[in-house]
Each structure stands twice: as C-alpha cells, then as structure tokens.
C-alpha cells in the first residue's frame, strides 16, 4: 500500500502543499479551521512524518543512538544491557522516539558510527556507555555538536551530563559485610581495567579494605565474559592461600565461578563465599542463590533517556546520581573456614 504524502493531503483538502506543511508543523500561515481540517485529513489517510526528510530539512530525526562496545553475544547473555535498554525504550517510545542500536568492536568504530549517524542526521543525540579513563569519544562527540549523555562517573564524562551510580559506596558495603563475617582474604574478578567505573571500584576496594583493617584484596581484570571469569576464578581457587571470598563485577562471571567451585568440590559458603554484581535472574536461579548488589537498572536507563531528551530539547541538564547498588546477602556468603580468625 502506497504511503500517503503531503501532496495527497493537499489534493484532498483543496489547498497547496505549503499550506499542508504549515498546518502539520503548527506554523503560522493558515487559519485555525484550515489547520484542523488538514490534520483531520492527515489522520484519516494515516499520514506519518518522514523522519529522514524532516532531518534533511532541519527537523529532528526522532531517534537517539547507542553504540555498545562489547562482543555482540554480550547482549544476549548479560541481563544488564537488556534491562538498561528496556528502560531507555520505555521513555523514548512515550515521546515518539526510536533507538538506533549498534555494536562496535573498537572505540574508533564507535566514533565512526556516531559521525555517520550525525552526518546523515539519523539521530538527534547519543548515549555513551562504558566510559574510559581516557576516552577519545568525548572530544569527538563535542566536535560533532551532538547532544550526548554519558553513562558513568562525572569525573570521566569530559563535561557531558553524566548519569551515574555510586559504585564506590557499593564496594564499601560489600567489604564491610564480608569483613564483619570474618573474611580477611578477599579477591575481586573485575571488568577491563581501562573502564572508568572499573577504576572507581578498584580504588574503592583498596580504601574499603584499609578501613576494615584487612589485607588489600587481590584484583584480576577480565573482559566480563563467563570464560574469562571462570579462568580467573579457577586460578584464585587453586592458589596456595586461596581467598575466602570472591567478588565479581558481573553476574555472568559469578555464575561461571560457581560452576568452577563445584568442579573443585568447594562448598558455598563453607569453603568459599561469592558475591555478584548486579543481581539478575541468573543469580537467583542457581543453587546456592548468589549474594549480590542490586539496583533498578531499567530506571537507570529511563533516567538516562529522559536526560538526553531534555538536552535535545535545549534544556540545561546536570549530572544525575542514580543512587547505588545495595548489597543483598543470600546463601552464597557466610563466615570463612574455621582456620581464619573471626572479626576484621
């Protein structure tokens, strides 16, 4: 079926295409009665604005971009992304916006995608995830004069409005809990070291251990995949003085580590405690259920999308602190094996 055009509306209304354009874009130049008649005919015909044409003539594309710099399989197995995107979509759809989503292998690829989208006027703004400690995207996006919101710590956002969760507070809560149980040998299997939020967690872990009066925790950086998480967990579990508690930077690695513990005949939490970040259905369907930090990830995505739409509308947008992930103890954490002294 042929898509109705402004020319079709003009013929039906007996007016010029210019008058139709004025009416549909709520511009002066036609009477109220003519405007109402044209809009009624447009609705009857099922007319919808062509976003590409509107963009080429200076209108908005009614779309925002998100490029995810992770392996494509990550979207299918890591619940964080789908929950975040669901929150973004909830806000965008309410305002008639679409989400342009693409995977990228490198930061250079990501920048090129944003340049292409901006040059073709396919998006009105962009969400930047996985901020790096030295992020080349920030000056590149500023050079495009493209509205953008950074998802990550404000100190790494390069002056862009940042929507962030206080990861340091979450780390301190985890360490306080484990130290109170009596753990003195804690290790963390982290994400990539170059990510800004990983660096925040690294620093917070050192500070939290010092405050708790326990030795500094070992940290192994990985790529977030279950394979890398399992490999790191196995190395820690077979070490001469294995940690009594392991903290993982995502749920996939924590679940993989649970399988490794079972492979090595280690009982949770009698021999080893495990903590996951973030809580997800995965952490709750395994046995024992995994202790985890939890936050409303969909709300995190919704606040990010709302901030970007405000920015696109020309409003002033500052940094938005989205709280922090709270620790939820479950069956995978308990006191360390009896040879460890109680208390921090």
């Amino acid at each position: 079926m042929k898509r109705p055009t402004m020319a079709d509306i003009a013929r039906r209304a007996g007016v010029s295409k210019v008058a139709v354009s004025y009416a549909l874009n709520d511009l002066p130049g036609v009477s109220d009665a003519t405007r109402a008649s044209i809009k009624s005919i447009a609705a009857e015909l099922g007319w919808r604005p062509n976003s590409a044409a509107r963009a080429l003539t200076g209108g908005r594309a009614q779309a925002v971009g998100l490029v995810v710099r992770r392996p494509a399989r990550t979207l299918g197995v890591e619940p964080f992304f789908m929950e975040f995107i669901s929150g973004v979509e909830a806000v965008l759809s309410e305002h008639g916006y679409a989400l342009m989503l693409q995977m990228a292998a490198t930061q250079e690829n990501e920048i090129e995608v944003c340049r292409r989208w901006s040059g073709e006027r396919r998006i009105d703004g962009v969400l930047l995830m996985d901020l790096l400690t030295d992020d080349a995207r920030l000056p590149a996006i500023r050079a495009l004069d493209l509205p953008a919101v950074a998802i990550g710590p404000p100190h790494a956002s390069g002056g862009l409005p940042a929507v962030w969760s206080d990861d340091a507070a979450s780390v301190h809560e985890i360490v306080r809990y484990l130290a109170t149980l009596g753990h003195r040998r804690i290790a963390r299997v982290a994400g990539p070291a170059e990510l800004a939020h990983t660096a925040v967690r690294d620093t917070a872990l050192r500070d939290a251990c010092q405050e708790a009066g326990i030795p500094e925790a070992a940290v192994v950086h990985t790529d977030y995949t279950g394979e890398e998480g399992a490999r790191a967990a196995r190395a820690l579990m077979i070490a001469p003085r294995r940690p009594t508690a392991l903290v993982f930077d995502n749920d996939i690695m924590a679940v993989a580590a649970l399988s490794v513990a079972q492979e090595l005949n280690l009982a949770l939490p009698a021999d080893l405690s495990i903590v996951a970040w973030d809580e997800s259905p995965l952490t709750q369907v395994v046995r024992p259920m995994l202790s985890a930090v939890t936050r409303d990830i969909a709300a995190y995505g919704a606040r990010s999308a709302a901030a970007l739409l405000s920015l696109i509308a020309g409003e002033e947008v500052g940094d938005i602190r989205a709280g922090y992930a709270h620790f939820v103890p479950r069956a995978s954490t308990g006191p360390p094996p009896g040879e460890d002294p109680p208390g921090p």
Side-chain angles (χ1 to χ4, degrees), residues 148-150 154 157 159-164 303 307-308 310-311 315-321:
V149 168
S157 70
L160 295 178
V163 179
W164 62 293
R303 296 187 77 172
L308 182 55
S310 295
L311 202 63
E315 300 172 16
E316 288 289 331
V317 177
D319 297 334
I320 299 172
R321 182 179 181 273

Side-chain angles (χ1 to χ4, degrees), residues 68-85:
V68 179
R69 194 177 61 256
R70 298 278 185 91
R73 66 183 185 277
T74 301
L75 283 183
V77 298
E78 191 167 356
F80 173 87
F81 283 110
M82 298 317 297
E83 290 185 43
F84 183 87
I85 290 171

Side-chain angles (χ1 to χ4, degrees), residues 35-151:
R35 188 187 312 278
S37 174
I38 289 172
K39 287 188 173 184
S40 175
I41 292 170
E44 180 185 339
L45 294 177
W47 178 85
R48 294 291 183 273
N50 185 315
S51 59
R54 288 183 63 182
L56 290 172
T57 57
R60 289 182 180 155
Q62 295 295 116
V64 301
L66 172 61
V67 185
V68 179
R69 194 177 61 256
R70 298 278 185 91
R73 66 183 185 277
T74 301
L75 283 183
V77 298
E78 191 167 356
F80 173 87
F81 283 110
M82 298 317 297
E83 290 185 43
F84 183 87
I85 290 171
S86 73
V88 170
E89 283 280 19
V91 170
L92 294 184
S93 61
E94 183 180 334
H95 291 82
Y97 265 74
L99 177 66
M100 297 279 288
L101 176 66
Q102 187 161 328
M103 311 299 290
T106 66
Q107 190 175 75
E108 291 73 22
N109 295 150
E110 185 175 356
I111 292 171
E112 182 53 38
V113 170
C114 289
R115 284 178 177 151
R116 174 165 49 82
W117 281 349
S118 178
E120 296 172 357
R121 297 187 179 180
R122 298 176 68 185
I123 58 172
D124 299 321
V126 66
L127 295 169
L128 299 179
M129 297 189 72
D130 287 340
L131 296 183
L132 302 183
T133 51
D134 182 18
D135 203 313
R137 292 175 300 173
L138 303 176
I141 293 298
R142 283 198 299 271
L144 294 174
D145 197 26
L146 183 66
V149 168
I151 316 302

Side-chain angles (χ1 to χ4, degrees), residues 147-323:
V149 168
I151 316 302
H155 74 267
S157 70
L160 295 178
V163 179
W164 62 293
S165 177
D166 191 348
D167 285 359
S170 303
V171 170
H172 279 261
E173 188 172 328
I174 293 169
V175 172
R176 282 195 302 269
Y177 181 81
L178 293 174
T180 300
L181 289 177
H183 291 277
R184 296 181 59 80
R185 295 198 305 275
I186 298 173
R188 175 168 145 260
V189 180
E194 65 271 17
L195 291 178
H197 70 265
T198 300
V200 168
R201 297 180 190 183
D202 289 350
T203 300
L205 185 61
R206 287 193 296 269
D207 293 344
C209 289
Q210 184 176 8
E211 290 174 9
I214 63 176
E216 184 174 324
V219 178
V220 181
H221 293 104
T222 71
D223 63 358
Y224 280 128
T225 63
E227 294 83 359
E228 282 294 304
R231 187 174 295 113
R234 185 174 291 106
L236 290 165
M237 291 180 199
I238 64 176
R241 278 178 60 81
R242 72 167 177 266
T244 60
L246 296 180
V247 180
F248 293 85
D249 268 16
N250 74 357
D251 51 351
I252 299 297
M253 295 194 295
V255 171
L258 178 60
S259 296
V260 173
Q262 293 167 347
E263 164 196 323
L264 297 173
N265 292 317
L266 295 176
L268 271 65
D271 300 318
L272 177 70
S273 289
I274 287 181
V275 176
W277 192 324
D278 292 278
E279 182 181 53
S280 73
L282 286 178
T283 66
Q284 298 180 49
V285 297
V286 296
R287 293 294 180 269
M289 292 176 66
L290 298 183
S291 297
V293 289
T294 182
R295 55 181 165 166
D296 190 337
I297 298 171
Y300 195 36
R303 296 187 77 172
S304 302
L308 182 55
L309 292 182
S310 295
L311 202 63
I312 291 169
E315 300 172 16
E316 288 289 331
V317 177
D319 297 334
I320 299 172
R321 182 179 181 273

